[in-house]
Amino acid sequence: LERPRGLAISHGDLAKGSRVLKPVADPAAPGHIDLGNLTTSDTEDFLRKIKEQEFAIANTPLEQRRVPRMALSRFYLAHGFAHEALGLMRLAAEDEPALARDPSFNLLMGAAQALASRPREADDYLERPGLANNPDAAVWRTITSAAQGNWTDARMAMSRGRAVVGNYPTLVQTEFNLAAARTMVEVNDYGQAAAVLSEIDPSLATGKQAARYDIIRGQIADASGRSREALTAFDLVEPSDERPLAAEATYRGLRIRHR
């Protein structure tokens, strides 16, 4: 349950919520995506709340488990546990097939698929009716578009998503900013890429996010003629357990050294 750099805790400012997408159901119902009251102070608090919600599900009649299942799925999603959230949402959808037509449910499914590194599956939900112009959906479309190398789509989505991304947990904000920064690098807007990257606190990132951060930082430095700084950034990633990122860092470092 713990990440390499500690448990991902939801951001305190989430209490406000984005309030952009009006759920089909009431706030306690499955389609609501508000993550505002899900903050946990530490791992012990997190595990305690998991047990409480699992107990609530187990003690709810089968035909009424949709709501507590969705509540637990939102809690998992706020803390970055995408696969657990997806499993619970699928059970809820089996119990209530009409959820597939709820825009806020589809937004939550798209968000979970995106965090599970399934950008194509995420887009299938994020492109459903009611989400085309939604800023919350744009947050996730920025992430999924960048993951698939669709830089034009990512750039279009990021401008809308930036209006609400501050309402999300740090984990999601970091994912969004990494996707946005990489998009700016790919379209050769290094100044904007650096500005976006400056919004990330690498000490709060997961190991994989930190590696991506250093690669983008190295690309920006290299494009600006700061080869030594770029090599330092790439060298930090080479020992990483994230092998594809380590290989990319090695390749980029070799290109600089053998110019």
Side-chain angles (χ1 to χ4, degrees), residues 138-139 141-142 152-162 176:
V139 169
R141 275 197 290 268
T142 301
T152 300
D153 291 346
R155 194 171 189 178
M156 292 175 60
M158 63 178 280
S159 60
R160 187 185 298 271
R162 285 177 69 84
F176 176 87

Side-chain angles (χ1 to χ4, degrees), residues 220-240:
I220 295 170
D222 187 28
S224 303
R226 304 192 304 274
S227 298
R228 187 182 298 275
E229 181 182 335
L231 285 173
T232 299
F234 295 143
D235 288 347
L236 286 172
V237 182
E238 283 190 32
S240 170

Side-chain angles (χ1 to χ4, degrees), residues 133-148:
N133 298 312
N134 182 267
D136 285 286
V139 169
W140 302 102
R141 275 197 290 268
T142 301
I143 294 169
T144 60
S145 295
Q148 298 173 86

Side-chain angles (χ1 to χ4, degrees), residues 47-65:
L47 294 174
R48 179 180 58 79
K49 290 183 178 178
I50 290 290
K51 290 181 180 179
E52 289 175 354
Q53 294 184 73
E54 288 177 341
F55 181 82
I57 292 172
N59 287 275
T60 299
L62 287 174
E63 66 277 6
Q64 298 175 21
R65 288 185 178 178

Side-chain angles (χ1 to χ4, degrees), residues 179-203:
R182 185 184 176 196
T183 298
M184 292 297 97
V185 165
E186 295 295 337
V187 300
N188 298 318
D189 189 343
Y190 296 102
Q192 184 62 28
V196 174
L197 206 65
S198 70
E199 298 181 19
I200 298 173
D201 182 347
S203 69

